[in-house]
Structures are given as structure tokens and as C-alpha cells.
């Protein structure tokens, strides 16, 4: 990542324009100043940076090895399928958001002048504050997943690919490509606006918005300041992390949603909302907004497919992840290859949560150095886990046992499919789910009825929901409800996709091509009737008597 350090400089970089291959982007300096779209291999190289090689430090002193292995927590990064998906969404969000904000277009300058005059007049009514009836191509994307799975690291690394600030002397404009904001803990909309303006000050190395933090500025005025800043500094994408911390009173929910809608649709900035699965319950109104505004689809962050894949798929990803991490060992008696019993126990204890798996690996190496065994064994891993993971053990046990009630008490650790299920079942808007479920009440009881209801809530056809529930009853009757919920989603998606493909395969044959159909096809017979009527042809062939 060293080659991108200049992008974090206080003064930003001067624009270097590259002709856009896409005609819709052509001639737009805000887009042509961006780095070109990377290939999968290029992205992997940039995100991974210099490969760690802790194995070369095996013969160094104990203290040096302990210091080196402790850095894995912050320096280790493994490229996964979800990083490419997130990069595509962020890149499209930035470029498409700039399509209608071309500074060489006079209307952009006129709109900025109008906003400035509005602010000067103090006209800050909610509906008119940032509304100028201009259609933008920006979008909103949500990234939601359990805590400790690398969402924040991935989003920050991908943003760092782009220069934060680009200066365009020719257009007398400063462009802020991305702005990364942590949602204030128990934060209100007012606090969020102040955080956005504070982040902008840091990016530009200024203090132009500092006065707003010192006086009692009302929320509507801050909303207008943010919207004007989006225009003035051509902010490409606004990334709001820790969305689960957003606490909005019911009376302010509409104002919050209007704030996001107007930033996306009218101010033209793309937004990426990042949060743990706690957002499904703690901040459902904001989450619903994000799903409605999805321009390129939301991301349910699950790097190892622990919760969204089949058992075979996520164990395959776990094997690759653990095998790569195992190479970063500094122990002198360590097994060269990862022993299968250690790999299995490692997953069992961490439940495939990346952050916990890395921490456990670090602590095991430290302990092996201290007790002079210089080797990770199943017994050592169990002892380290029991000694250091008191707070997380109940949560991990709940995941392991598939105890849905217990899982839901640990909101940051909950799974997307379970959180959505619990929210959907509890809402009045899904009352029709219960009505449909009653039709199958005699067939699906207990957990099976819950699985059926969850699929209906996810908008799957009732026939698919019935088919999947029966399949699970036949082949997975002994599984926990947690695993059944994950399997049900996978099966329903596959069946729905298969049904769509079957429909696509049925092609409409035009009458002029009926003579190319098989001989026993009635349409072929009709094409050969000549001057005869359809009735005479069908009677002659014995179709009718």
C-alpha cells in the first residue's frame, strides 16, 4: 500500500486526467481524474500490500517474535471474494454519482450559487433545504454483517485506493472523492452532521466548520451545511460506519430518512452504510431506507460464507483461510502443514469469526513461546481459549449449538438471516405471513412453521417455501433451527433461480418458423395445411372427429 501514501497527504493531489472509455463518463473531469478500474489481480495486490513473512523470524529472540506475531491483529489481511464485490459497488457508486455533477457544465455552478443564496437568506425549511429537482445517478449501498468479520477494514482499504482529495486548478475546484465517518455512539442526526463536517475539515486540513461545534446550531441548518459541502467539494461517496450506533427518536425518523434521500437523489452523493447485524433491530428505519435506495444491491458481509453458504462451502473457505494464516507462525517446532485436528478445533472454538480466529492464533503462538513448547497443539489451543475468551464463550457456544434465542441476545454476533427473520416475524406489516402459514398449519408445526414463515417473509413463493420445508424435513430433520434457517435461504434461492432459468428456456416460436418444428407438433401441422381451413386439417389428421 506504500504507493498510495501520497493520497493521504494534507494538500491532496493535482488532477491527472485519463480519457474515459465509457462515453457517459467522457469529458467529466471528476471521473477522468479517478484511478482506472482495477482487475481482480490488481485489486488483490493493492489490498494485500507487501506479503507478511513471519516465518523468516523463527530464529529471533522470544521478545521480538512475540512483538511480531502481535502485529497480525492489525497487519494481516487475506483477500476474499467479498472484497471484490464491495470494490465493484463502491467504484460504481463514485463514478455514477459524478455523472450529473460535471463542473464543466454551467448548471452545476448555478446550483451551487442557488444553495449559497438559500443559506444566506436563512431559508432552511425541511422540504426546500436541499431540493432543486435535479435527477442524480448516485446510489446507496448497505454493508451488514456480524462484528469482527472485517467490514470496516475492507471498506477503509478500498477507499484508500482512491486519492481522498483531488485539486482541479483549471476548474477552480477541490474534489473530495471519499469521506469516511464513524457514526457517533448513541448519535443523533445532528451529531452525524457535525461528524461529517468534521471529517471534511480533516480531509481538507482546514477548520472552516469548527464554529458550528461551538454554537448551538439547529439540525436543519446543519443539514443544509452538509448538502452545500457535498456540492462545493464534489464529495463522491460518503461512508458511514457503525450504523448500529445511530439512535433516532421516532419523531425524527422521517427527518433522518429525508436527509439521506435528499443527499442521494438531489445533492448527488453516493452513500455506503456499514454496520453490524444489530442494525436490523436497533435502527430498522435506517436499514429499510438503505434497502429501498439500493442502487447496486446491498452486501451481507460473510467473508467465509459461514452463514450464507452451505456447510461444504464455508468449510472450504475456512480451510483456505486457516491454511494461509497458519503460514504466519514464528514457532521453532511448529508443524509445517496445518494439522487437521487443530484446524477443526480452531473453527469449533472461533466459529469461523475472523477476528476471533486471528486473536486465538496470536495468543496460541505467544503461549507456545512462553512455555517453550514452540508448537500449537489441540490441548494448548483449548487452554488458551478457556483462559482468554471468557466474555465471548457464551456467544460462541450459542452459535455452535444453534440456540436461536441465545444468539439473538448477542446482537453484534447475530447472523443476518436470523436477525431478519426475527424482525420480519415481529412486525405488523407481515401479518399476511401468519395467514398464509395457517393454511399449512397441520403440516408444518414448531420449528418447521417458523422456517416456512421466514421464507414467505423473504418474499419467496409459497410453493417454494413448502418445497424447501419438506426437503429439510426429509434430509435435515436433526439440524438446529439456526442451521435450518441458513439452509432454507440457500435452497429457496437455488430453486427460484432454477425456475427462472426454466422460464427463459421456453422460447416463443414465431408462426413463420412453425415449419421448422418437430413433425408431431400441432403448429408444424398447421403450417402445412395449405389452403385448407384449420378445422379441415385437424379433422383430416384425426385430431377431431
Amino acid at each position: 500500500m506504500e504507493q498510495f501514501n501520497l493520497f493521504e497527504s494534507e494538500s491532496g493531489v493535482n488532477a491527472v486526467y485519463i480519457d474515459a472509455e465509457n462515453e457517459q463518463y467522457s469529458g467529466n473531469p471528476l471521473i477522468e481524474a479517478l484511478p482506472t478500474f482495477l482487475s481482480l489481480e490488481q485489486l488483490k495486490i493493492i489490498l494485500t500490500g507487501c506479503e507478511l513473512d513471519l516465518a523468516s523470524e523463527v530464529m529471533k529472540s522470544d521478545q521480538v517474535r512475540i512483538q511480531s506475531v502481535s502485529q497480525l491483529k492489525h497487519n494481516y489481511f487475506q483477500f476474499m471474494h467479498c472484497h471484490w464485490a464491495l470494490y465493484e459497488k463502491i467504484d460504481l457508486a463514485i463514478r455514477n454519482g459524478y455523472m450529473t455533477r460535471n463542473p464543466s457544465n454551467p448548471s452545476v455552478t448555478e446550483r451551487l450559487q442557488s444553495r449559497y443564496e438559500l443559506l444566506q437568506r436563512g431559508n432552511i425549511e425541511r422540504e426546500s433545504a436541499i431540493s432543486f429537482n435535479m435527477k442524480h445517478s448516485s446510489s446507496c449501498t448497505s454493508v451488514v454483517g456480524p462484528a469482527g468479520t472485517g467490514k470496516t477494514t475492507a471498506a477503509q482499504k478500498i477507499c484508500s485506493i482512491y486519492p481522498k482529495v483531488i485539486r482541479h486548478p483549471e476548474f477552480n475546484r477541490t474534489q473530495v472523492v471519499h469521506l469516511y465517518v464513524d457514526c457517533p455512539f448513541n448519535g443523533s442526526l445532528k451529531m452525524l452532521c457535525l461528524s461529517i463536517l468534521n471529517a471534511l475539515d480533516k480531509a481538507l486540513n482546514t477548520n472552516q466548520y469548527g464554529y458550528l461545534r461551538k454554537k448551538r446550531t439547529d439540525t436543519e441548518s446543519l443539514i443544509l451545511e452538509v448538502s452545500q459541502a457535498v456540492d462545493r467539494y464534489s464529495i463522491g461517496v460518503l461512508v458511514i460506519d457503525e450504523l448500529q450506533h445511530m439512535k433516532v427518536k421516532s419523531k425524527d425518523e422521517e427527518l433522518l430518512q429525508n436527509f439521506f434521500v435528499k443527499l442521494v437523489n438531489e445533492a448527488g452523493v453516493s452513500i455506503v452504510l456499514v454496520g453490524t447485524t444489530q442494525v436490523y433491530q436497533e435502527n430498522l428505519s435506517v436499514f429499510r431506507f438503505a434497502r429501498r435506495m439500493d442502487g447496486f444491491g446491498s452486501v451481507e458481509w460473510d467473508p467465509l460464507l459461514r452463514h450464507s453458504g452451505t456447510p461444504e462451502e464455508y468449510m472450504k473457505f475456512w480451510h483456505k483461510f486457516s491454511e494461509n494464516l497458519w503460514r504466519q507462525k514464528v514457532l521453532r517446532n511448529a508443524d509445517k502443514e496445518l494439522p487437521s485436528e487443530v484446524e477443526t478445533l480452531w473453527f469449533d472454538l472461533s466459529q469461523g469469526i475472523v477476528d476471533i480466529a486471528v486473536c486465538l492464533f496470536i495468543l496460541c503462538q505467544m503461549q507456545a513461546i512462553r512455555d517453550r513448547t514452540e508448537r500449537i497443539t489441540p490441548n494448548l489451543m483449548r487452554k488458551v481459549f478457556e483462559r482468554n475468551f471468557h466474555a465471548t464463550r457464551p456467544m460462541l457456544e450459542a452459535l455452535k449449538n444453534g440456540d436461536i434465542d441465545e444468539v439473538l441476545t448477542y446482537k453484534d454476533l447475530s447472523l443476518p438471516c436470523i436477525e431478519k427473520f426475527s424482525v420480519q416475524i415481529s412486525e405488523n406489516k407481515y401479518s399476511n405471513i401468519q395467514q398464509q402459514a395457517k393454511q399449512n398449519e397441520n403440516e408444518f408445526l414448531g420449528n418447521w412453521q417458523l422456517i416456512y414463515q421466514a421464507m414467505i417473509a423473504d418474499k419467496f413463493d409459497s410453493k417454494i417455501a413448502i418445497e424447501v420445508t419438506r426437503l429439510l424435513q426429509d434430509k435435515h430433520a436433526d439440524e438446529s433451527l439456526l442451521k435450518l434457517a441458513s439452509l432454507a435461504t440457500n435452497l429457496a434461492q437455488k430453486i427460484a433461480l432454477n425456475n427462472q432459468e426454466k422460464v427463459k428456456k421456453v422460447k416463443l416460436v414465431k408462426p413463420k418458423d412453425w415449419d421448422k418444428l418437430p413433425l408431431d407438433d400441432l403448429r408444424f401441422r398447421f403450417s402445412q395445411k395449405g389452403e385448407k381451413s384449420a378445422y379441415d386439417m385437424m379433422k383430416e389428421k384425426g385430431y377431431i372427429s
Side-chain angles (χ1 to χ4, degrees):
M1 292 292 293
E2 287 81 357
Q3 64 266 43
F4 289 93
N5 285 347
L6 74 150
F7 288 171
E8 303 304 322
S9 66
E10 294 178 347
S11 59
V13 298
N14 289 326
V16 176
Y17 304 109
I18 301 173
D19 292 340
E21 294 182 14
N22 188 324
E23 290 184 6
Q24 295 183 15
Y25 297 159
S26 182
N28 188 327
L30 299 180
I31 297 177
E32 293 185 335
L34 298 173
T36 56
F37 188 79
L38 301 173
S39 67
L40 178 62
E41 192 58 35
Q42 288 172 326
L43 180 67
K44 184 176 180 180
I45 291 171
I46 288 176
L47 294 188
T48 305
C50 297
E51 289 283 351
L52 289 174
D53 184 21
L54 296 190
S56 62
E57 302 186 6
V58 168
M59 300 313 296
K60 292 184 179 180
S61 68
D62 292 357
Q63 194 57 41
V64 169
R65 287 187 293 153
I66 287 175
Q67 291 171 351
S68 296
V69 79
S70 69
Q71 294 304 308
L72 280 175
K73 172 72 174 172
H74 307 290
N75 295 340
Y76 183 73
F77 179 84
Q78 190 170 145
F79 186 83
M80 299 180 191
H81 61 98
C82 48
H83 296 118
W84 172 256
L86 184 57
Y87 168 66
E88 279 189 313
K89 294 181 188 302
I90 290 179
D91 188 85
L92 283 171
I94 293 174
R95 295 180 198 275
N96 285 7
Y98 281 137
M99 283 174 59
T100 54
R101 300 161 69 191
N102 189 340
S104 61
N105 185 336
S107 65
V108 174
T109 305
E110 292 171 6
R111 190 172 74 254
L112 186 59
Q113 180 67 29
S114 297
R115 289 176 190 268
Y116 170 71
E117 292 175 2
L118 186 68
L119 186 63
Q120 289 297 87
R121 292 197 304 270
N123 186 0
I124 52 176
E125 295 178 7
R126 292 188 181 187
E127 292 305 316
S128 63
I130 51 179
S131 175
F132 287 90
N133 300 318
M134 185 172 182
K135 181 66 176 177
H136 283 281
S137 52
S138 48
S139 62
C140 181
T141 296
S142 59
V143 183
V144 181
T149 51
K151 302 179 299 298
T152 296
T153 299
Q156 289 177 343
K157 277 182 170 287
I158 289 170
C159 284
S160 72
I161 293 172
Y162 308 87
K164 183 174 286 186
V165 178
I166 303 176
R167 304 197 181 277
H168 302 262
E170 181 181 346
F171 300 95
N172 191 29
R173 179 172 288 264
T174 298
Q175 173 186 6
V176 177
V177 180
H178 56 89
L179 209 56
Y180 203 101
V181 179
D182 278 329
C183 188
F185 188 73
N186 286 334
S188 61
L189 177 54
K190 180 176 180 178
M191 290 299 296
L192 177 60
C193 288
L194 287 172
S195 296
I196 292 171
L197 295 172
N198 184 53
L200 182 58
D201 264 342
K202 287 184 178 179
L204 298 170
N205 193 29
T206 64
N207 190 33
Q208 58 182 313
Y209 298 109
Y211 74 96
L212 294 171
R213 296 188 291 273
K214 296 177 182 178
K215 69 175 187 176
R216 293 183 177 181
T217 309
D218 60 86
T219 303
E220 284 80 1
S221 296
L222 287 172
I223 289 174
L224 187 56
E225 287 284 0
V226 171
S227 64
Q228 190 181 36
V230 166
D231 252 349
R232 181 186 299 156
Y233 294 108
S234 301
I235 298 175
V237 65
L238 176 62
V239 182
I240 303 176
D241 201 351
E242 305 294 351
L243 185 63
Q244 70 278 3
H245 291 165
M246 195 74 188
K247 306 296 181 185
V248 182
K249 296 178 181 178
S250 56
K251 65 177 182 178
D252 293 329
E253 282 187 1
E254 183 180 353
L255 180 61
L256 175 65
Q257 292 186 34
N258 287 340
F259 169 64
F260 282 134
V261 169
K262 290 180 181 295
L263 281 182
V264 173
N265 285 348
E266 294 164 12
V269 64
S270 292
I271 297 178
V272 176
L273 302 174
V274 183
T276 70
T277 47
Q278 185 179 352
V279 73
Y280 285 106
Q281 289 185 336
E282 295 295 325
N283 211 348
L284 188 59
S285 61
V286 178
F287 174 73
R288 283 196 192 128
F289 149 78
R291 293 303 289 264
R292 286 200 308 270
M293 297 290 292
D294 276 350
F296 306 107
S298 61
V299 179
E300 288 188 355
W301 194 257
D302 189 10
L304 297 181
L305 297 184
R306 171 67 177 88
H307 314 304
S308 58
T310 64
E312 293 77 16
E313 286 174 330
Y314 69 68
M315 288 312 297
K316 178 182 176 182
F317 275 90
W318 168 255
H319 176 72
K320 182 180 179 181
F321 171 81
S322 57
E323 203 172 47
N324 287 338
L325 184 55
W326 184 257
R327 294 177 187 144
Q328 305 303 324
K329 52 190 181 296
V330 295
L331 305 178
R332 293 166 184 165
N333 298 328
D335 296 277
K336 185 175 181 180
E337 302 296 331
L338 175 60
S340 59
E341 60 270 22
V342 173
E343 179 185 349
T344 302
L345 179 63
W346 197 357
F347 177 83
D348 190 55
L349 296 176
S350 69
Q351 284 299 295
I353 297 175
V354 173
D355 192 47
I356 293 176
V358 173
C359 286
L360 181 57
F361 182 59
I362 292 170
L363 293 172
C364 283
Q365 292 204 70
M366 289 180 173
Q367 184 60 41
I369 291 172
R370 291 192 185 102
D371 64 17
R372 304 297 179 188
T373 59
E374 298 281 347
R375 187 185 181 197
I376 297 177
T377 63
N379 283 340
L380 181 138
M381 185 171 280
R382 285 193 192 92
K383 289 178 181 178
V384 169
F385 180 79
E386 291 171 1
R387 189 180 304 158
N388 296 280
F389 291 86
H390 298 290
T392 56
R393 280 177 64 185
M395 310 175 196
L396 296 171
E397 282 296 318
L399 278 177
K400 180 180 176 182
N401 298 330
D403 187 339
I404 186 170
D405 293 327
E406 186 72 12
V407 167
L408 288 173
T409 65
Y410 303 108
K411 294 171 182 176
D412 273 359
L413 202 62
S414 300
L415 316 185
C417 59
I418 296 301
E419 286 286 358
K420 284 192 293 183
F421 165 76
S422 66
V423 169
Q424 290 163 341
I425 294 301
S426 65
E427 289 188 294
N428 292 333
K429 66 182 263 187
Y430 290 110
S431 60
N432 63 314
I433 298 170
Q434 297 174 352
Q435 294 175 3
Q436 291 191 42
K438 286 180 180 178
Q439 297 173 7
N440 298 282
E441 195 172 34
N442 294 330
E443 182 175 1
F444 302 136
L445 300 174
N447 285 349
W448 300 115
Q449 191 177 85
L450 294 178
I451 293 297
Y452 173 81
Q453 289 175 330
M455 284 185 285
I456 295 296
D458 269 340
K459 304 299 175 62
F460 286 111
D461 184 82
S462 60
K463 292 181 180 179
I464 293 178
I466 292 171
E467 182 181 353
V468 169
T469 307
R470 288 173 178 168
L471 282 171
L472 293 176
Q473 283 180 322
D474 291 340
K475 298 183 179 181
H476 301 278
D478 297 329
E479 296 285 4
S480 66
L481 180 58
L482 188 63
K483 290 184 179 179
L484 287 173
S486 180
L487 288 171
T489 301
N490 279 318
L491 279 171
Q493 288 174 344
K494 289 178 181 177
I495 293 173
L497 182 61
N498 188 46
N499 290 347
Q500 290 176 4
E501 290 175 351
K502 286 180 180 178
V503 170
K504 289 178 182 178
K505 289 178 182 178
V506 179
K507 294 182 179 180
L508 179 65
V509 181
K510 296 180 179 179
K512 67 182 180 63
D513 296 322
W514 285 0
D515 60 343
K516 300 174 184 177
L517 294 169
L519 297 178
D520 58 350
D521 193 301
L522 185 58
R523 290 169 295 177
F524 173 80
R525 299 285 190 187
F526 190 83
S527 71
Q528 305 300 310
K529 70 180 180 64
E531 298 298 326
K532 297 176 184 177
S533 67
Y535 175 83
D536 290 338
M537 182 274 294
M538 295 180 72
K539 187 172 182 179
E540 181 182 311
K541 299 297 182 183
Y543 291 112
I544 57 178
S545 57

